[in-house]
Amino acid sequence: MPKFMLMVNHDGGVFEEPMDQWEPGDIAAHFNYYEVLTKELTESGEMVQFMALADPRLTKIVRSDGSAAPLVTDGPFPESKEVLAGFNVFDVESEARALEIAARISAVPGPGGVPTQQPVEVRQVMSDSQGDL
């Protein structure tokens, strides 16, 4: 079965205000939705891995030529909506199933229970046989 990585950025979808400005009940509903979805996809055997990433302000950028000491900096940073917030890896029957799961992730509720429509990038994980493309 093919594996797909679904990536979510800090892009708020149809909402401009950051989550720390939402009502507590809306934040709870948002995370409860993810909890239920994660449980369902783990129990089905489709979810291989889930990782939420720490605040992008903690990011370090490393540049190295392989011989000198690497240069480690705190930036520059892309716009926050372009920063990866987290990712999931799914082992599914088809790309269509990966797209279906991505749609469910995109529909996570925001303020007032309105789906965020947050963009979710779907990319197939390369298999050994795809390395020659």
Side-chain angles (χ1 to χ4, degrees):
M1 290 197 310
K3 288 188 174 110
F4 289 86
M5 178 180 278
L6 281 58
M7 295 168 279
V8 178
N9 288 347
H10 280 272
D11 184 320
V14 296
F15 296 99
E16 292 291 325
E17 64 273 4
M19 186 182 292
D20 62 2
Q21 294 177 13
W22 295 4
E23 294 294 323
D26 290 334
I27 294 171
H30 182 88
F31 285 111
N32 287 343
Y33 179 94
Y34 275 129
E35 185 177 322
V36 169
L37 183 59
T38 297
K39 181 178 182 192
E40 174 189 326
L41 296 169
T42 300
E43 288 176 354
S44 73
E46 294 173 299
M47 183 175 287
V48 174
Q49 184 175 23
F50 165 73
M51 290 284 170
L53 300 174
D55 189 301
R57 292 174 291 190
L58 302 173
T59 300
K60 302 290 187 240
I61 308 294
V62 178
R63 287 186 171 75
S64 174
D65 65 5
S67 56
L71 174 64
V72 180
T73 63
D74 291 337
F77 299 112
E79 289 187 47
S80 66
K81 70 180 185 175
E82 297 170 349
V83 174
L84 187 64
F87 64 89
N88 300 279
V89 177
F90 293 96
D91 192 354
V92 292
E93 291 290 332
S94 64
E95 181 183 76
R97 178 62 177 147
L99 296 174
E100 181 182 308
I101 294 168
R104 292 183 65 195
I105 292 171
S106 180
V108 63
V114 176
T116 63
Q117 300 178 48
Q118 189 173 25
V120 178
E121 183 178 342
V122 178
R123 293 185 60 187
Q124 187 166 357
V125 175
M126 283 180 47
S127 68
D128 292 338
S129 64
Q130 291 174 308
D132 297 329
L133 294 179

PDB file of all heavy atoms in Angstrom, residues 62-72:
ATOM      1  N   VAL A  62      20.414  25.374  10.002  1.00  0.00           N
ATOM      2  CA  VAL A  62      21.789  24.873   9.977  1.00  0.00           C
ATOM      3  C   VAL A  62      22.277  24.866   8.532  1.00  0.00           C
ATOM      4  O   VAL A  62      21.596  24.337   7.645  1.00  0.00           O
ATOM      5  CB  VAL A  62      21.882  23.454  10.568  1.00  0.00           C
ATOM      6  CG1 VAL A  62      23.304  22.927  10.492  1.00  0.00           C
ATOM      7  CG2 VAL A  62      21.357  23.432  11.995  1.00  0.00           C
ATOM      8  N   ARG A  63      23.453  25.458   8.324  1.00  0.00           N
ATOM      9  CA  ARG A  63      24.107  25.423   7.014  1.00  0.00           C
ATOM     10  C   ARG A  63      25.518  24.875   7.222  1.00  0.00           C
ATOM     11  O   ARG A  63      26.222  25.317   8.126  1.00  0.00           O
ATOM     12  CB  ARG A  63      24.186  26.816   6.407  1.00  0.00           C
ATOM     13  CG  ARG A  63      22.844  27.324   5.920  1.00  0.00           C
ATOM     14  CD  ARG A  63      23.003  28.664   5.199  1.00  0.00           C
ATOM     15  NE  ARG A  63      21.802  29.089   4.529  1.00  0.00           N
ATOM     16  CZ  ARG A  63      20.728  29.590   5.120  1.00  0.00           C
ATOM     17  NH1 ARG A  63      20.685  29.709   6.419  1.00  0.00           N
ATOM     18  NH2 ARG A  63      19.685  29.960   4.422  1.00  0.00           N
ATOM     19  N   SER A  64      25.906  23.935   6.350  1.00  0.00           N
ATOM     20  CA  SER A  64      27.222  23.323   6.506  1.00  0.00           C
ATOM     21  C   SER A  64      27.805  22.981   5.145  1.00  0.00           C
ATOM     22  O   SER A  64      27.072  22.578   4.235  1.00  0.00           O
ATOM     23  CB  SER A  64      27.117  22.056   7.350  1.00  0.00           C
ATOM     24  OG  SER A  64      28.352  21.395   7.396  1.00  0.00           O
ATOM     25  N   ASP A  65      29.133  23.128   5.034  1.00  0.00           N
ATOM     26  CA  ASP A  65      29.821  22.687   3.815  1.00  0.00           C
ATOM     27  C   ASP A  65      30.432  21.302   4.010  1.00  0.00           C
ATOM     28  O   ASP A  65      31.100  20.773   3.143  1.00  0.00           O
ATOM     29  CB  ASP A  65      30.879  23.701   3.384  1.00  0.00           C
ATOM     30  CG  ASP A  65      32.022  23.846   4.380  1.00  0.00           C
ATOM     31  OD1 ASP A  65      32.071  23.093   5.380  1.00  0.00           O
ATOM     32  OD2 ASP A  65      32.876  24.723   4.163  1.00  0.00           O
ATOM     33  N   GLY A  66      30.214  20.712   5.177  1.00  0.00           N
ATOM     34  CA  GLY A  66      30.704  19.368   5.450  1.00  0.00           C
ATOM     35  C   GLY A  66      32.093  19.311   6.046  1.00  0.00           C
ATOM     36  O   GLY A  66      32.525  18.254   6.476  1.00  0.00           O
ATOM     37  N   SER A  67      32.807  20.446   6.074  1.00  0.00           N
ATOM     38  CA  SER A  67      34.156  20.407   6.640  1.00  0.00           C
ATOM     39  C   SER A  67      34.337  21.426   7.770  1.00  0.00           C
ATOM     40  O   SER A  67      34.904  21.091   8.795  1.00  0.00           O
ATOM     41  CB  SER A  67      35.208  20.626   5.553  1.00  0.00           C
ATOM     42  OG  SER A  67      34.984  21.833   4.875  1.00  0.00           O
ATOM     43  N   ALA A  68      33.855  22.624   7.607  1.00  0.00           N
ATOM     44  CA  ALA A  68      33.968  23.638   8.665  1.00  0.00           C
ATOM     45  C   ALA A  68      32.823  23.453   9.663  1.00  0.00           C
ATOM     46  O   ALA A  68      31.856  22.725   9.399  1.00  0.00           O
ATOM     47  CB  ALA A  68      33.907  25.036   8.052  1.00  0.00           C
ATOM     48  N   ALA A  69      32.946  24.121  10.805  1.00  0.00           N
ATOM     49  CA  ALA A  69      31.863  24.076  11.794  1.00  0.00           C
ATOM     50  C   ALA A  69      30.582  24.614  11.157  1.00  0.00           C
ATOM     51  O   ALA A  69      30.630  25.594  10.400  1.00  0.00           O
ATOM     52  CB  ALA A  69      32.229  24.915  13.012  1.00  0.00           C
ATOM     53  N   PRO A  70      29.452  23.975  11.405  1.00  0.00           N
ATOM     54  CA  PRO A  70      28.207  24.450  10.798  1.00  0.00           C
ATOM     55  C   PRO A  70      27.809  25.819  11.331  1.00  0.00           C
ATOM     56  O   PRO A  70      28.115  26.173  12.470  1.00  0.00           O
ATOM     57  CB  PRO A  70      27.186  23.385  11.190  1.00  0.00           C
ATOM     58  CG  PRO A  70      27.753  22.730  12.387  1.00  0.00           C
ATOM     59  CD  PRO A  70      29.245  22.823  12.265  1.00  0.00           C
ATOM     60  N   LEU A  71      27.114  26.583  10.496  1.00  0.00           N
ATOM     61  CA  LEU A  71      26.556  27.867  10.890  1.00  0.00           C
ATOM     62  C   LEU A  71      25.128  27.613  11.362  1.00  0.00           C
ATOM     63  O   LEU A  71      24.313  27.066  10.612  1.00  0.00           O
ATOM     64  CB  LEU A  71      26.562  28.830   9.696  1.00  0.00           C
ATOM     65  CG  LEU A  71      25.883  30.177   9.926  1.00  0.00           C
ATOM     66  CD1 LEU A  71      26.617  30.975  11.004  1.00  0.00           C
ATOM     67  CD2 LEU A  71      25.844  30.961   8.616  1.00  0.00           C
ATOM     68  N   VAL A  72      24.833  27.949  12.608  1.00  0.00           N
ATOM     69  CA  VAL A  72      23.502  27.741  13.186  1.00  0.00           C
ATOM     70  C   VAL A  72      22.932  29.110  13.508  1.00  0.00           C
ATOM     71  O   VAL A  72      23.526  29.883  14.251  1.00  0.00           O
ATOM     72  CB  VAL A  72      23.578  26.873  14.461  1.00  0.00           C
ATOM     73  CG1 VAL A  72      22.181  26.672  15.046  1.00  0.00           C
ATOM     74  CG2 VAL A  72      24.237  25.533  14.166  1.00  0.00           C
TER      75      VAL A  72
END
